[in-house]
């Protein structure tokens, strides 16, 4: 089975600074990281296709990612960025992205909601209008939220039943603290909405970076499997951010162990089928 990595990044500091990498804790990944560096570890883990996800709120970055995907055998889709606060004008922004080289590989849109001070940012009228434009364009929307932002996410998902949502990193549960609530309850409420999918991604960096174990991750992965099911879950490495706590092979191995109770058909969904279907990836 050729696997799909539904969530990874690249960045070139020579082209575009990454201010979020300035903290001392980020020193190990505060460098240029290009697609060629991912190819080997991904192949070793059986990953043959991937989804490249935006890093910065910058439409030019998305244009560059689409061009990169067009020339890559690995990248099958791009989750880019558009200014959702532009409301109905978002349709024009998305049309311009789709008209750019590689624009046919635009699979979704994401905004760094986790960085918004307003916990109800997703409920703003202009943002909702922007999200409606994403739905009209037939694209998915990646939800990057923290647990305290889940109530607004739940309201937004219910208000836009025609939009396919993909929850990134399971909303970053408090793994290092060993807590589950209120995250677990909110995740179940979100998952009850049929237009929401989720990524089994980003968990190692929510755990203790130096001492995490698969056992630390298991309660959160099991909760995700319980409420979403394999047909609405997809594997993502969150590379190279994951390198803060684990290399690519370790992340892939952890995902394998966390899904070892599933049947072969169910694992095929988590490691490829869900991402291919939700993002409308072109045939392999």
């Amino acid at each position: 089975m050729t696997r799909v990595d539904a969530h990874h990044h690249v960045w070139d500091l020579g082209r575009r600074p990454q201010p979020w990498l300035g903290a001392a804790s980020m020193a190990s990944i505060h460098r240029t990281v290009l697609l060629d560096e991912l190819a080997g570890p991904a192949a070793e883990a059986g990953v043959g296709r991937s989804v490249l996800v935006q890093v910065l709120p910058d439409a030019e970055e998305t244009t560059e990612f689409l061009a990169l995907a067009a020339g890559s055998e690995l990248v099958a889709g791009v989750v880019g960025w558009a200014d959702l606060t532009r409301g109905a004008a978002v349709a024009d922004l998305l049309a311009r992205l789709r008209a750019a080289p590689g624009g046919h590989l635009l699979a979704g849109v994401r905004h760094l909601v986790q960085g918004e001070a307003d916990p109800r940012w997703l409920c703003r009228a202009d943002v909702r209008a922007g999200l409606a434009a994403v739905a009209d364009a037939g694209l998915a929307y990646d939800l990057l939220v923290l647990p305290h932002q889940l109530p607004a996410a739940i309201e937004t998902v219910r208000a836009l039943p025609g939009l396919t949502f993909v929850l990134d990193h399971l909303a970053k549960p408090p793994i290092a603290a060993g807590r589950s609530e209120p995250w677990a309850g909110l995740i179940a409420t979100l998952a009850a909405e049929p237009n929401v999918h989720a990524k089994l991604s980003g968990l190692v960096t929510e755990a203790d970076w130096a001492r995490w174990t698969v056992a630390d991750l298991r309660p959160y992965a099991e909760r995700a499997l319980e409420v979403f099911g394999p047909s609405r879950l997809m594997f993502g490495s969150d590379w190279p951010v994951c390198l803060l706590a684990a290399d690519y092979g370790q992340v892939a191995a952890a995902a394998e162990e966390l899904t070892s109770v599933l049947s072969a058909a169910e694992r095929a969904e988590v490691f490829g089928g869900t991402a291919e279907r939700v993002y409308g990836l072109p045939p392999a």
Side-chain angles (χ1 to χ4, degrees):
M1 176 183 70
T2 299
R3 294 178 171 178
V4 175
D5 178 348
H7 196 105
H8 74 84
H9 310 284
V10 295
W11 52 76
D12 184 345
L13 299 184
R15 293 184 63 86
R16 188 164 285 106
Q18 303 285 333
W20 64 283
L21 292 176
S25 60
M26 298 289 179
S28 64
I29 59 171
H30 193 184
R31 58 183 179 82
T32 291
V33 187
L34 303 179
L35 196 58
D36 288 349
E37 189 177 331
L38 173 62
E44 290 177 8
V47 170
R49 304 213 292 163
S50 71
V51 177
L52 175 59
V53 179
Q54 66 87 219
V55 184
L56 298 176
D58 186 332
E60 289 186 8
E61 178 197 69
T62 299
T63 300
E64 292 175 7
F65 280 4
L66 290 169
L68 178 63
S72 167
E73 293 183 359
L74 178 61
V75 180
V78 172
V79 173
W81 181 84
D83 185 356
L84 295 176
T85 66
R86 297 283 302 279
V90 172
D92 293 333
L93 299 175
L94 296 176
R96 286 199 292 273
L97 288 173
R98 281 183 152 163
H104 63 290
L105 296 175
L106 184 66
V109 173
R110 185 176 84 152
H111 179 72
L112 306 172
V113 179
Q114 65 174 11
E116 295 290 344
D118 179 4
R120 293 184 57 77
W121 185 88
L122 285 165
C123 297
R124 286 172 40 170
D126 55 353
V127 173
R128 290 275 181 88
L131 289 170
V134 174
D136 289 342
L139 298 170
Y141 179 71
D142 269 35
L143 274 170
L144 179 63
V145 295
L146 300 174
H148 76 279
Q149 296 166 322
L150 281 170
I154 292 165
E155 289 182 40
T156 301
V157 164
R158 289 172 173 168
L160 293 160
L163 178 57
T164 296
F165 290 85
V166 181
L167 181 65
D168 288 353
H169 315 324
L170 300 184
K172 298 193 169 184
I175 300 174
R179 297 196 309 271
S180 60
E181 294 296 351
W183 171 85
L186 291 168
I187 283 290
T189 302
L190 182 67
E193 303 305 317
N195 55 324
V196 187
H197 300 72
K199 292 180 182 177
L200 195 61
S201 63
L203 300 185
V204 295
T205 45
E206 296 309 312
D208 185 309
W209 294 359
R211 292 184 292 274
W212 69 271
T213 66
V214 173
D216 296 330
L217 313 181
R218 191 177 302 282
Y220 307 92
E222 288 182 344
R223 183 60 164 174
L225 282 166
E226 175 190 359
V227 298
F228 285 104
S231 65
R232 288 200 290 151
L233 271 180
M234 59 187 85
F235 163 72
S237 67
D238 197 27
W239 183 92
V241 179
C242 69
L243 297 176
L244 294 167
D247 64 30
Y248 195 97
Q250 290 172 317
V251 171
E256 288 180 10
E257 189 169 344
L258 291 168
T259 58
S260 61
V261 298
L262 301 180
S263 68
E266 289 171 332
R267 287 165 59 82
E269 287 287 279
V270 175
F271 286 100
T274 303
E276 291 173 346
R277 187 170 57 254
V278 169
Y279 286 126
L281 302 183

